[in-house]
């Protein structure tokens, strides 16, 4: 999953959540049905679990965090099999 880095932490504003919650649509016939999914941002050792994007000039406002597929709900509206390429 990727997000704007400032959503995961922004020292100038003292924004420092310990997790991010995403909403997953779970019914292809009714997109109003969804479930929340909580993703921790820091491990038990206090180290951050997300990676910050960088380019030649330094940090950019992009971050990524790995999500374990087995932790996701089995039924998802936008499963890979439903996406067109």
């Amino acid at each position: 999953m990727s997000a704007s880095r400032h959503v995961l932490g922004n020292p100038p504003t003292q924004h420092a959540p310990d997790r991010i919650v995403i909403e997953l649509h779970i019914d292809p016939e009714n997109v109003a049905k969804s479930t929340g999914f909580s993703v921790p941002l820091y491990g038990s050792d206090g180290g951050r679990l997300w990676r910050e994007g960088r380019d030649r000039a330094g940090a950019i406002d992009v971050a990524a965090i790995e999500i374990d597929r087995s932790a996701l709900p089995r039924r998802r509206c936008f499963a890979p099999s439903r996406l067109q390429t």
Side-chain angles (χ1 to χ4, degrees):
M1 177 189 85
S2 63
S4 296
R5 181 181 43 81
H6 72 268
V7 172
L8 305 184
N10 190 8
T13 63
Q14 297 181 352
H15 176 68
D18 65 346
R19 63 187 53 254
I20 188 168
V21 177
I22 58 174
E23 184 175 3
L24 301 171
H25 297 282
I26 56 174
D27 187 343
E29 306 305 320
N30 181 356
V31 294
K33 287 187 179 180
S34 63
T35 185
F37 184 74
S38 180
V39 181
L41 297 177
Y42 298 90
S44 58
D45 64 354
R48 69 180 194 199
L49 299 174
W50 50 277
R51 297 185 184 260
E52 185 176 286
R54 302 184 72 77
D55 65 11
R56 291 182 197 161
I60 58 174
D61 195 22
V62 174
I65 190 166
E66 185 175 351
I67 297 177
D68 179 6
R69 282 185 183 253
S70 67
L72 296 171
R74 286 182 170 247
R75 185 172 173 155
R76 296 187 306 274
C77 185
F78 301 109
S81 62
R82 298 186 58 85
L83 300 176
Q84 296 179 357
T85 57

